[in-house]
Amino acid sequence: MPVSPKAAIKEVQGLSFLAAKAFAAIFRRPFYVRDILMQMDLIGVGSLTVVMLTGFFTGAVLTLQSSSQLSRFGAVGFTGGLVSVSLVRELGPVLASLMVAGRVGSGMASELGSMLVTEQINAMRALGTDPIKKLVVPRVLATIAMMPVLTIVANTLGIVGGLAVASFVLHITASLYLSRAWDSLSYMDLFGGLIKPLVFGALLAIVSCYCGLRTTGGTQGVGRSTTQAVVASSVLILVFDFFLSRVILAYSR
């Protein structure tokens, strides 16, 4: 169904209001430390396996594809540098965020949507508890805290996957591969590779919580909200990746 400009502006307005309320509530008591730690376990430890597999095989495939092109110019030795720069700058943060959006973002939207449909959130308000402070803020803080860690894991496993292919398939020595991988990275690459997951984590958590808190239509509405959360957060991650890359490249020259 086509979306009118008025409806799109209303959605952006609602998302902006939720983000402002959530970030303002971070500095208010109570802090719900136990909820934050529980969400960090669900998001970080729960997503570790899928992020590790994604990073490892991304690095392996990237090594295969790049070496076939570099061999035309006799530059197969530079494969490690190409793989490390590609992973740290772009593929690591983006793919880790997309995996977390698919696994965790859908869970956030369905959980909050189910609570809204079953009147649990209204009961929470009746008892004097702020739903944004209790439900949204722990999820946002936990996602922001765990996304850089998951990105580092994805980058590391990607380089290891590339090393395995380079050693056993392409017969490139491990010392050459790792030295090229390290020498090709700059401090700005590492800095930008850690700034992106912070932004992506906040983005996917806010979008997923917003989609869950605007659920209507019973159990069918929960399914729609889950789908909207994954699609919207994935698209926004790719859009924001372009603008962040543009800014980081401008300052790294």
Side-chain angles (χ1 to χ4, degrees), residues 66-139:
S66 58
S67 64
S68 66
Q69 297 298 319
L70 291 174
S71 62
R72 299 181 180 181
F73 306 99
V76 181
F78 292 92
T79 302
L82 181 61
V83 171
S84 65
V85 170
S86 301
L87 284 170
V88 172
R89 283 186 181 180
E90 288 296 327
L91 294 179
V94 172
L95 290 178
S97 300
L98 290 177
M99 291 298 106
V100 174
R103 183 192 173 277
V104 177
S106 59
M108 290 182 186
S110 62
E111 186 178 2
L112 296 183
S114 300
M115 293 179 70
L116 185 65
V117 169
T118 55
E119 303 292 338
Q120 294 182 48
I121 292 181
N122 290 334
M124 194 178 293
R125 289 195 181 97
L127 293 173
T129 302
D130 183 7
I132 294 178
K133 179 68 178 176
K134 174 69 174 177
L135 300 175
V136 177
V137 171
R139 287 166 171 79

Side-chain angles (χ1 to χ4, degrees), residues 12-65:
V12 174
Q13 185 182 34
L15 183 64
S16 302
F17 282 156
L18 178 63
K21 290 178 182 178
F23 284 108
I26 290 176
F27 305 100
R28 293 201 318 263
R29 292 179 181 272
F31 295 116
Y32 299 113
V33 177
R34 181 176 296 178
D35 291 344
I36 296 173
L37 294 177
M38 184 176 66
Q39 291 297 325
M40 289 175 68
D41 177 66
L42 291 174
I43 295 168
V45 180
S47 303
L48 195 59
T49 302
V50 66
V51 169
M52 289 174 66
L53 288 173
T54 302
F56 182 87
F57 286 104
T58 299
V61 171
L62 191 60
T63 302
L64 280 176
Q65 297 288 355

